[in-house]
Amino acid sequence: MEGKDLEFAVNGERFKVKSVDPSTTLLEFLRLNTPFKSVKLACGEGGCGACLVILSKYDPDSEQVKEHSINSCLTLLCSINGCSITTSEGLGNAKNGFHPIHTRFAGFHASQCGFCTPGMCISLYSALSNSSGRGGLTVSEAEKSIAGNLCRCTGYRPIVDACKSFAADVDIEDLGLNSFWKKGDSKESMLKRLPCYDPKEHLVTRTTFPEFLKKKSVFRNGLDHRWTTPCSVTELGNVLEESANSVGSLKLVVGNTGNGYYKDDDEGRFDRYVDISRIPEMLVIKRDENGIEIGAAVTISNVIDALKEEEGSSNFKKMAAHMEKIGNRSIRNSASIGGNLVMAQSRKFPSDITTLLLAADASVHMLNNRIIKKIKLQEFLDSPPVLNSKQVLLKVVIPAWTADTGLLFETYRAAPRSIGNALPYVNAAFFARVSHQTVDECLLAFGSYGGDHSIRAREVERFLTGKLLSHSILHEAMDLLRGIIAPSKDTSYPEYRKALAVGFLFEFFYPLIDNNNGHSNGHVDPTESPLPFLSSSQQVLESNEFQPVGEAVVKAGAALQASGEAVFVDDIPTLPDCLHGAFIYSTEPLAKIKSISFRGNVAPAGVFAVLTFKDIPQQGQNIGSKTVFGPGPLFADELTQCAGQRIALVVADTQKHADRAAKLAVVEYDVKNLEEPILTVEDAVKRSSFFDVYPMFYPEPVGDVVEGMKEADRKILLAEFRLGSQYFFYMEPQTALALPDEDNCLKVFSSSQAPEYVHSVIATCLGLPEHNVRVITRRVGGGFGGKALKSMPVATACALAAHKLNRPVKMYLNRKTDMIMAGGRHPMKVTYNVGFRSDGKLTALELTMLIDAGTEPDVSPILPRNIMGPLRKYDWGALSFDVKVCKTNLPSRTAMRAPGEVQGSYIAEAIIESVASSLQMEADEVRKINLHSYSSLRKFYKHISGEEDEYTLPLLWDKVEISSELEKRVEMVKEFNRCNVWRKRGISRVPIVHQVMQRPTPGRVSILSDGSVVVEVGGIEIGQGLWTKVRQMVAYGLGLTKCAGSDELIERIRVVQADTLGLIQGGFTAGSTTSESSCEAVRLCCVILVERLKPAMDKLMVEKSGSVTWNLLIQQAYAQSVNLSASALYTPQFSSMEYLNYGVGVSEVEVDVITGKTEILRSDIIYDCGKSLNPAVDLGQVEGAFVQGIGFFMMEEYTTDEKGLVVQQGTWDYKIPTVDTIPKQFHVEILNTGHHKDRVLSSKASGEPPLLLAASVHCATRSAIREARKQSLSWNCNDGNVDVSGADFELPVPATMPVVKDLCGLYSVEKYLEGTICGK
């Protein structure tokens, strides 16, 4: 056996590994053993794209390099023997020059926090590489290239534009705002200014494959007996025989993608790994007249390519099109068809491929004790789990289809995302031979519905075979099918899944009945349309009044983020003696903790210590977070207060060992003599379990509600609805690094929005004076409020461990733990009475709200104030409320982007919708009638309203009506709904009024001897462009010296990391106003510096006859010992610290009545930014917030089980928006509304308010559902079951596919057929 060492290259650098744990992933190796940090660990499941790299292999036969993207978080290091790996730094970097992908991402403003950006760049690079031999990338391919990547910041639109700029067929004028050209430039000028991309030069992985890897002919690493790479089926048989006679578990490996779902390697389950990806017999793709044979180790991507190449039948191409919706491209590049089938057979994996192959009547070849046997796929699926045996799946055989005009084949899939990495609720594939409406033969396969595996609906097949299709026959077949589709008891939405299966059967057969029109019937489109081109427009006004403030300057460090060289906390090189931490959390909501041990009473490998509240120094306190409302504990003491509460910290030699040990922890609980936990707001009310709300956070009522109710012609009384929670899904999980220092000091690096508070909590916990603690935060990989309080216990636990063990300690929460502990947005129950006149004018609103705050106060007591701000956007006549902040035994909720505001704004819209429905009026008309006049605005908002000319909402309302062509489109929607049975559209216009408040913020500006400038601010760069705006403001402020060349000053300014001992009183970075407050702080610093420089400037002006350069001025100032460092604490005036933001959004959606899928066809937004400090940054904030709002209103389920433990625990079951779920047309205008005397250079906030506009999508969906329900009622036969109950309904948040389908009618297809049969 040649080459026992593992040998490969990373970015051209040679690596040889002599010994390694075979469960080590490529990502682990890259992050711990190389200087390349662009590969990020965000999910560990292959579900986000942050860890992507390019894997290149040299084929000596063709002398070609073959390459594709892979997930380094799943790929096992041993499997890349002989390969070359390229990370984003390997494409280009700051030292050698950035790649055009990096510079275009920066120039199109496509990077905000930057944590996901290197993975995005790799996805695009892979697409460019794959398309290089066939005429280049198309626009459609460019859009799809990032379909498997997650971004929580940007809303994807600028990323899509950056990708499309590489497409051969792009119309360059369709690309959005960028730094390369100005509006009005010619196409020629645009192309010239775009950073040049030449495939011959820039497809670097193809031209730089290392020679030393080409020379090595056979790569068969043994490393030790734990990793084996057989090169034939015979050798595989020998390995299996050998392992059968030994103790221990064995894992067959191709791409290891199954570990993303089952996470077996995380638990150290396997004693031996066998890499079967190099066995020629298992890599074969063979075609003949009987069909196609595919080796079990062939990747899904290669299967797709092979099926696309099949001549003579479109059915193989349909199978390929369906497979392209499985996982994402990088997963398909690694995952094997055999692995997919075995996971489905042995572990109930919800596979699409098994369903497709069942309908194709496929067979498989199995190796068992050196005997190869061919069996039908159904027999394979029904047999005992092969993973528990020594059998191996060798190949799959798909029989050929004979050319036949009566042959029909279709596939179906309903999933939360069309192409963006989501498991289906149900999939199906149908084959049939039909002649003259008679079914001669059919194979009907269904999967992913919650059964053990995909099945053939044989009873339905037998029933239909030989039958002449009719409405009644199809109805009977669907009744039969409902009895066959039997989801297991723990399956979510079982009735929805049954309805999907029935709907798919209807979609397949109904067009054959309806006037014998064939399969292109207008009622049903059985094939999903391809992803339409995303189109967008942005209108922004750049201002030159305060240059460079007001210009669309590229985000500071954007190219560095794209290349992956921007340093986040976990990128800081690990010191040799560094330890790593992982939390053990409670799985009981209220229980005494009797003991903590490990499975088998044996400490897992690498464990150094287990710390609990007892390990906190005697002079310290058990504190893990704090606000003005009180502290929260670091660890549970003898009593755990909620499931998910921190109980202990495991400290081990590696993060992997720490995580593994935390999983193996056994906590013994005792619930005797304890009262029942409070797990609902209703329970909290019964037991009077509330947090106090200070009067300053509890708004005053407006007007006299009793009188308002008397004025009402109509009332809606005791209406009720609930709002769910939402998880932050920042791409960078919670992380911290603590370093013990001399004299009992600590230096802590924390990914935090509130380093000052982290600092204070650590000092209090350890009983140290605050000057012994230093907290440093350079940048945060997304926060959205989740890195404020929730970052504190992570950093504090690290600090405690470092202090106690006198070793550096790092902690990087895995995604599951992060989700369980995060708390997220506040769920709530809302009850209201509303009075209104028959013309739609509101007269009074009474609200009762129960907010679930969880077990700690956190910032929950501010919620009443935050909710009532945006809710007052309409003139309610009079308004009163009773808001209770409930203390429950659930994880404490915390501030999430627009905390309370998004709920308050939506509550107003939900009430407006109910009023409109009650009056049978258009909701838009009711909204318009109740928009504030300036006088009513003053009544509801008092002094916060500002001057009358600052109230721009009526202007925005009218302006968006024109720009969105609202009136015309409303009529088009009505016409569409009249003409379409199974698709319904809705359109909605929603206004927002969002109150924000500035807070005191520090800054320091220092001018160095060479004229370069270093800036410190209290605000943290979390992706919102704070550093960029601060640089612009400093350039403006120092530019007032009027030096020659001062217009280039911005390039000489660097904003540095926050250091709590370097700049104190940093406060929280939250509430949308930290950027403007930080800008004002540094502006005040610049005023001081310009004043100090004035004497030197005046002197030089005389000496140099009026022309003084910046360098000369600074040299003179240094010579005169002028103090060139200035600090300031910006403290806003009480009278103007709060102000209102305005915006209006129009969204149009299309709902699939059969599946419940909602597609956002178009969204138009107009937002008042005052005079934007940076229109590109603010545009990114508007779009990103809006898309995050889409997640809240339409997609993201963040729920708890019966014990209060979070159910969703990763990318498999928590779905944030992806590129295929954002508006297909996305038009945003940032209105520059001129002078606002009390604002920072007349600017206004943009970070949170636009999120509220996403309610327009939810309201449009409600409108579409209403049309579907009206239609459903028209189908009712006298004896038919009523599936929906009319126009009055409440659409829950989030309005997921099952929710929408339920409201459209779970029996809609049956009712339609019943109506047809009875003549309706």
Side-chain angles (χ1 to χ4, degrees):
M1 184 177 282
E2 183 187 331
K4 286 217 167 192
D5 289 351
L6 190 59
E7 187 175 11
F8 55 92
V10 181
N11 296 334
E13 188 178 330
R14 189 176 202 156
F15 285 88
K16 275 192 173 186
V17 179
K18 295 185 183 297
S19 176
V20 68
D21 178 342
S23 69
T24 301
T25 64
L26 173 58
L27 180 138
E28 287 175 71
F29 181 85
L30 291 173
R31 293 195 61 77
L32 295 175
N33 298 283
T34 78
F36 309 116
K37 306 297 185 186
S38 66
V39 285
K40 309 294 186 191
L41 179 60
C43 72
E45 301 175 324
C48 72
C51 70
L52 294 185
V53 296
I54 299 293
L55 180 139
S56 306
K57 291 180 182 177
Y58 181 70
D59 181 0
D61 295 332
S62 64
E63 297 186 345
Q64 296 289 311
V65 175
K66 296 180 179 178
E67 62 186 25
H68 52 259
S69 59
I70 58 167
N71 294 89
S72 65
C73 73
L74 298 177
T75 302
L76 295 175
L77 183 68
C78 293
S79 69
I80 66 156
N81 201 13
C83 299
S84 177
I85 300 297
T86 306
T87 69
S88 195
E89 301 106 316
L91 302 181
N93 49 63
K95 188 176 180 181
N96 300 321
F98 292 112
H99 193 277
I101 290 176
H102 300 149
T103 52
R104 292 196 194 182
F105 261 72
F108 278 97
H109 312 289
S111 181
Q112 288 187 21
C113 87
F115 201 81
C116 73
T117 314
M120 294 279 184
C121 292
I122 290 291
S123 286
L124 174 57
Y125 181 90
S126 178
L128 286 168
S129 176
N130 290 338
S131 67
S132 61
R134 47 178 175 77
L137 199 67
T138 67
V139 166
S140 178
E141 289 168 341
E143 289 174 349
K144 289 179 182 178
S145 68
I146 55 158
N149 294 71
L150 300 184
C151 172
R152 195 55 150 166
C153 296
T154 63
Y156 299 99
R157 193 278 312 159
I159 299 174
V160 169
D161 277 346
C163 294
K164 291 200 303 196
S165 74
F166 288 90
D169 58 341
V170 71
D171 183 343
I172 200 163
E173 291 180 326
D174 290 342
L175 301 179
L177 180 69
N178 62 77
S179 65
F180 305 122
W181 59 76
K182 299 291 183 187
K183 198 170 183 179
D185 284 359
S186 67
K187 279 192 178 184
E188 292 74 20
S189 175
M190 291 177 181
L191 286 166
K192 194 180 292 183
R193 292 181 180 183
L194 200 61
C196 177
Y197 167 70
D198 180 355
K200 292 177 184 174
E201 178 186 350
H202 294 119
L203 288 180
V204 293
T205 51
R206 299 204 163 209
T207 56
T208 59
F209 190 86
E211 288 298 321
F212 67 85
L213 291 177
K214 288 182 182 178
K215 291 169 186 172
K216 205 165 182 180
S217 57
V218 182
F219 291 93
R220 299 178 52 180
N221 53 298
L223 284 180
D224 59 38
H225 70 283
R226 293 190 62 199
W227 183 278
T228 311
T229 309
C231 285
S232 69
V233 170
T234 304
E235 282 187 25
L236 175 61
N238 294 338
V239 171
L240 293 175
E241 268 185 23
E242 181 188 323
S243 66
N245 300 320
S246 62
V247 179
S249 55
L250 176 143
K251 182 176 186 178
L252 301 184
V253 175
V254 177
N256 199 46
T257 53
N259 195 58
Y261 193 72
Y262 294 108
K263 302 178 177 63
D264 299 325
D265 292 338
D266 299 352
E267 297 170 13
R269 276 187 53 189
F270 299 104
D271 301 293
R272 189 173 185 184
Y273 292 76
V274 180
D275 180 4
I276 58 173
S277 67
R278 303 185 189 234
I279 299 175
E281 300 99 312
M282 297 181 73
L283 294 170
V284 70
I285 298 175
K286 180 181 166 188
R287 301 173 180 83
D288 58 28
E289 66 278 3
N290 297 318
I292 179 169
E293 289 186 3
I294 301 171
V298 174
T299 65
I300 296 172
S301 286
N302 286 340
V303 172
I304 290 168
D305 291 341
L307 292 173
K308 283 181 177 178
E309 291 167 10
E310 281 297 298
E311 298 295 332
S313 173
S314 65
N315 300 331
F316 286 118
K317 291 181 175 61
K318 288 179 180 178
M319 291 176 76
H322 188 116
M323 287 185 189
E324 286 182 319
K325 298 170 188 172
I326 297 169
N328 55 51
R329 184 181 294 275
S330 54
I331 289 289
R332 297 191 297 268
N333 288 341
S334 300
S336 65
I337 185 171
N340 186 285
L341 296 184
V342 170
M343 283 205 310
Q345 192 266 358
S346 297
R347 306 192 70 173
K348 301 184 182 180
F349 180 73
S351 164
D352 284 88
I353 294 177
T354 52
T355 305
L356 298 175
L357 295 180
L358 275 178
D361 200 25
S363 304
V364 295
H365 288 227
M366 301 298 299
L367 174 68
N368 188 5
N369 292 326
R370 298 186 182 274
I371 298 169
I372 297 174
K373 183 181 178 184
K374 180 179 179 181
I375 58 172
K376 287 284 188 182
L377 180 62
Q378 187 70 65
E379 184 185 342
F380 166 74
L381 293 173
D382 290 335
S383 59
V386 299
L387 278 178
N388 298 339
S389 69
K390 299 302 177 186
Q391 296 181 71
V392 177
L393 175 63
L394 292 181
K395 62 182 173 183
V396 178
V397 181
I398 308 173
W401 273 282
T402 55
D404 189 336
T405 54
L407 186 149
L408 304 172
F409 181 77
E410 295 294 348
T411 76
Y412 302 85
R413 190 176 200 268
R417 304 177 185 139
S418 299
I419 60 170
N421 206 21
L423 291 175
Y425 292 110
V426 172
N427 55 45
F430 306 144
F431 164 85
R433 286 185 202 281
V434 181
S435 54
H436 307 295
Q437 284 187 249
T438 299
V439 180
D440 299 325
E441 177 190 3
C442 62
L443 282 73
L444 309 174
F446 297 88
S448 300
Y449 59 84
D452 288 347
H453 51 68
S454 300
I455 61 163
R456 290 256 307 272
R458 294 184 185 276
E459 197 177 338
V460 182
E461 292 172 2
R462 285 192 292 269
F463 171 77
L464 286 172
T465 302
K467 295 278 197 321
L468 180 69
L469 285 170
S470 67
H471 295 107
S472 56
I473 289 292
L474 183 53
H475 192 284
E476 216 172 321
M478 294 187 326
D479 280 348
L480 272 175
L481 183 60
R482 273 196 188 268
I484 293 168
I485 300 297
S488 61
K489 65 178 182 180
D490 58 344
T491 302
S492 61
Y493 307 113
E495 293 305 312
Y496 169 63
R497 293 172 193 261
K498 287 185 178 186
L500 282 176
V502 167
F504 291 156
L505 190 71
F506 172 83
E507 286 196 68
F508 184 70
F509 283 113
Y510 184 78
L512 302 172
I513 303 168
D514 187 27
N515 302 324
N516 199 24
N517 280 344
H519 239 62
S520 59
N521 182 272
H523 281 295
V524 181
D525 176 11
T527 56
E528 208 169 290
S529 57
L531 183 72
F533 292 164
L534 298 172
S535 69
S536 63
S537 65
Q538 305 85 43
Q539 290 187 46
V540 299
L541 182 63
E542 293 189 69
S543 166
N544 57 13
E545 186 178 352
F546 309 110
Q547 282 183 311
V549 173
E551 294 179 357
V553 172
V554 170
K555 184 181 184 294
L560 211 62
Q561 291 174 180
S563 70
E565 296 168 282
V567 176
F568 294 86
V569 172
D570 195 49
D571 298 332
I572 298 169
T574 302
L575 295 168
D577 60 345
C578 188
L579 299 174
H580 300 261
F583 286 124
I584 297 170
Y585 53 81
S586 170
T587 54
E588 292 289 333
L590 186 65
K592 293 173 187 170
I593 301 165
K594 292 182 70 177
S595 66
I596 303 169
S597 60
F598 292 105
R599 212 177 292 166
N601 284 320
V602 177
V607 171
F608 269 67
V610 178
L611 306 182
T612 69
F613 75 98
K614 295 174 183 175
D615 294 284
I616 292 169
Q618 195 170 356
Q619 72 274 21
Q621 298 176 29
N622 183 13
I623 179 174
S625 63
K626 74 168 189 178
T627 66
V628 294
F629 306 112
L634 177 59
F635 298 118
D637 45 30
E638 281 89 0
L639 198 68
T640 175
Q641 296 292 331
C642 70
Q645 185 177 16
R646 296 171 298 277
I647 292 176
L649 180 76
V650 180
V651 185
D653 58 346
T654 68
Q655 190 65 57
K656 184 187 222 175
H657 283 154
D659 287 336
R660 191 174 285 173
K663 277 188 175 183
L664 295 171
V666 177
V667 181
E668 188 181 354
Y669 302 98
D670 182 5
V671 294
K672 289 175 192 167
N673 304 319
L674 291 176
E675 58 187 358
E676 286 294 309
I678 299 171
L679 296 176
T680 67
V681 290
E682 289 85 356
D683 287 345
V685 171
K686 284 176 191 171
R687 287 157 65 174
S688 297
S689 179
F690 306 117
F691 288 112
D692 292 333
V693 178
Y694 300 164
M696 66 181 293
F697 296 110
Y698 200 90
E700 296 176 2
V702 180
D704 187 333
V705 167
V706 174
E707 284 301 312
M709 284 296 184
K710 287 178 184 174
E711 292 174 23
D713 304 328
R714 305 273 292 273
K715 295 173 188 174
I716 298 172
L717 301 177
L718 297 176
E720 184 182 296
F721 61 92
R722 294 173 188 266
L723 289 168
S725 185
Q726 184 182 22
Y727 170 61
F728 310 94
F729 219 108
Y730 27 64
M731 292 301 293
E732 173 201 37
Q734 300 282 4
T735 181
L737 167 64
L739 307 172
D741 206 347
E742 65 181 23
D743 197 20
N744 218 19
C745 291
L746 278 166
K747 184 191 288 185
V748 181
F749 295 87
S750 173
S751 180
S752 176
Q753 293 174 239
E756 179 197 345
Y757 283 79
V758 173
H759 181 142
S760 177
V761 169
I762 290 171
T764 306
C765 177
L766 301 181
L768 298 173
E770 287 196 14
H771 67 217
N772 279 34
V773 178
R774 167 174 256 137
V775 177
I776 294 171
T777 302
R778 182 179 290 183
R779 59 172 59 82
V780 173
F784 318 112
K787 298 275 181 72
L789 261 84
K790 298 295 183 178
S791 69
M792 297 176 195
V794 178
T796 306
C798 277
L800 171 64
H803 184 67
K804 185 174 178 68
L805 303 173
N806 201 32
R807 296 270 294 272
V809 177
K810 183 187 276 192
M811 179 153 49
Y812 193 79
L813 262 59
N814 60 63
R815 186 60 69 177
K816 176 182 176 180
T817 303
D818 198 302
M819 292 190 75
I820 283 171
M821 293 183 175
R825 200 181 285 286
H826 291 78
M828 58 189 66
K829 178 183 177 183
V830 181
T831 308
Y832 67 88
N833 301 324
V834 64
F836 47 96
R837 295 202 297 256
S838 54
D839 64 354
K841 183 69 189 77
L842 302 162
T843 61
L845 174 63
E846 291 179 290
L847 279 168
T848 302
M849 273 180 271
L850 301 175
I851 300 168
D852 186 347
T855 188
E856 298 166 22
D858 200 283
V859 296
S860 299
I862 69 168
L863 263 287
R865 173 189 173 277
N866 284 18
I867 290 169
M868 299 317 297
L871 190 143
R872 288 178 288 174
K873 64 182 173 180
Y874 293 116
D875 180 1
W876 300 102
L879 173 64
S880 70
F881 37 85
D882 177 14
V883 186
K884 289 187 168 59
V885 180
C886 301
K887 181 179 181 181
T888 61
N889 294 111
L890 292 161
S892 63
R893 309 295 177 172
T894 192
M896 180 174 177
R897 198 175 197 172
E901 288 101 347
V902 67
Q903 293 99 324
S905 190
Y906 173 74
I907 289 165
E909 298 307 336
I911 295 169
I912 289 283
E913 292 278 347
S914 293
V915 169
S917 179
S918 172
L919 292 169
Q920 296 188 321
M921 288 177 66
E922 292 293 336
D924 192 71
E925 189 60 30
V926 177
R927 289 186 176 98
K928 187 174 183 178
I929 290 167
N930 292 289
L931 286 180
H932 282 295
S933 63
Y934 181 67
S935 61
S936 69
L937 186 79
R938 294 286 299 187
K939 174 184 171 184
F940 277 78
Y941 288 98
K942 300 185 178 175
H943 74 279
I944 304 168
S945 307
E947 301 298 324
E948 186 168 358
D949 63 350
E950 292 179 303
Y951 178 46
T952 56
L953 186 60
L955 168 70
L956 304 181
W957 180 266
D958 293 339
K959 197 169 169 54
V960 81
E961 181 170 337
I962 296 165
S963 63
S964 68
E965 301 177 292
L966 181 61
E967 198 174 319
K968 172 184 166 187
R969 285 168 57 209
V970 165
E971 293 307 312
M972 290 171 67
V973 165
K974 288 177 182 174
E975 181 61 24
F976 180 89
N977 290 337
R978 274 194 293 270
C979 298
N980 287 271
V981 176
W982 301 113
R983 293 182 187 271
K984 297 295 178 186
R985 290 182 179 175
I987 190 167
S988 180
R989 170 169 52 169
V990 166
I992 60 162
V993 178
H994 191 290
Q995 183 177 333
V996 297
M997 181 170 68
Q998 292 179 316
R999 294 181 307 281
T1001 308
R1004 180 186 292 129
V1005 178
S1006 304
I1007 306 169
L1008 305 180
S1009 62
D1010 65 348
S1012 62
V1013 182
V1014 64
V1015 184
E1016 299 166 81
V1017 287
I1020 304 301
E1021 176 59 62
I1022 53 178
Q1024 82 284 45
L1026 184 148
W1027 280 6
T1028 310
K1029 288 180 175 179
V1030 164
R1031 285 179 76 222
Q1032 289 174 269
M1033 185 63 85
V1034 172
Y1036 161 69
L1038 295 180
L1040 295 177
T1041 55
K1042 306 295 183 186
C1043 287
S1046 60
D1047 55 337
E1048 297 172 4
L1049 200 54
I1050 191 168
E1051 299 304 325
R1052 306 186 69 178
I1053 297 165
R1054 181 181 294 278
V1055 186
V1056 296
Q1057 62 197 18
D1059 180 334
T1060 55
L1061 291 187
L1063 189 69
I1064 63 169
Q1065 297 173 281
F1068 280 90
T1069 296
S1072 300
T1073 58
T1074 313
S1075 290
E1076 65 199 64
S1077 297
S1078 296
C1079 283
E1080 183 61 9
V1082 297
R1083 191 190 68 80
L1084 294 174
C1085 295
C1086 292
V1087 169
I1088 295 168
L1089 290 170
V1090 169
E1091 187 62 29
R1092 290 177 185 170
L1093 287 166
K1094 191 172 186 304
M1097 184 67 179
D1098 290 345
K1099 184 181 177 190
L1100 286 169
M1101 288 284 280
V1102 172
E1103 292 175 2
K1104 301 293 179 183
S1105 304
S1107 179
V1108 179
T1109 65
W1110 173 256
N1111 279 7
L1112 184 61
L1113 173 62
I1114 300 310
Q1115 286 168 15
Q1116 182 75 10
Y1118 262 82
Q1120 295 176 4
S1121 299
V1122 176
N1123 181 358
L1124 292 184
S1125 182
S1127 301
L1129 178 67
Y1130 166 56
T1131 307
Q1133 300 273 326
F1134 177 77
S1135 61
S1136 62
M1137 65 194 298
E1138 293 185 83
Y1139 64 91
L1140 300 179
N1141 293 272
Y1142 306 108
V1144 182
V1146 175
S1147 290
E1148 181 180 350
V1149 306
E1150 183 174 295
V1151 167
D1152 184 327
V1153 178
I1154 288 180
T1155 65
K1157 178 187 173 186
T1158 302
E1159 187 170 54
I1160 308 169
L1161 301 178
R1162 176 172 169 179
S1163 289
D1164 294 74
I1165 294 170
I1166 296 188
Y1167 184 72
D1168 179 0
C1169 250
K1171 284 189 177 178
S1172 171
L1173 297 175
N1174 183 319
V1177 166
D1178 287 331
L1179 176 70
Q1181 290 294 286
V1182 171
E1183 292 175 331
F1186 183 80
V1187 170
Q1188 196 169 56
I1190 290 171
F1192 173 63
F1193 284 114
M1194 303 301 296
M1195 298 181 69
E1196 299 175 34
E1197 297 177 282
Y1198 192 47
T1199 57
T1200 53
D1201 64 16
E1202 68 281 356
K1203 289 188 175 182
L1205 195 66
V1206 171
V1207 173
Q1208 292 78 20
Q1209 297 178 358
T1211 56
W1212 288 99
D1213 50 12
Y1214 193 82
K1215 297 300 179 188
I1216 70 170
T1218 43
V1219 70
D1220 53 340
T1221 54
I1222 67 172
K1224 302 305 173 196
Q1225 294 183 60
F1226 200 2
H1227 306 295
V1228 180
E1229 179 177 354
I1230 290 182
L1231 202 64
N1232 214 325
T1233 51
H1235 185 64
H1236 299 274
K1237 65 176 182 178
D1238 294 322
R1239 306 278 61 83
V1240 177
L1241 299 191
S1242 295
S1243 67
K1244 298 181 79 173
S1246 63
E1248 293 173 295
L1251 189 145
L1252 281 55
L1253 291 169
S1256 61
V1257 174
H1258 192 270
C1259 292
T1261 305
R1262 187 193 297 252
S1263 176
I1265 293 169
R1266 188 176 291 112
E1267 291 301 311
R1269 289 167 71 87
K1270 282 183 195 171
Q1271 174 180 266
S1272 182
L1273 287 169
S1274 73
W1275 296 333
N1276 281 340
C1277 294
N1278 294 332
D1279 58 346
N1281 293 322
V1282 177
D1283 192 23
V1284 298
S1285 56
D1288 293 330
F1289 62 95
E1290 193 55 55
L1291 179 60
V1293 173
T1296 58
M1297 288 173 67
V1299 163
V1300 171
K1301 172 60 179 169
D1302 187 24
L1303 288 169
C1304 288
L1306 290 173
Y1307 292 83
S1308 55
V1309 288
E1310 287 100 329
K1311 279 180 57 51
Y1312 175 73
L1313 287 176
E1314 288 164 12
T1316 306
I1317 292 165
C1318 73
K1320 283 272 183 172

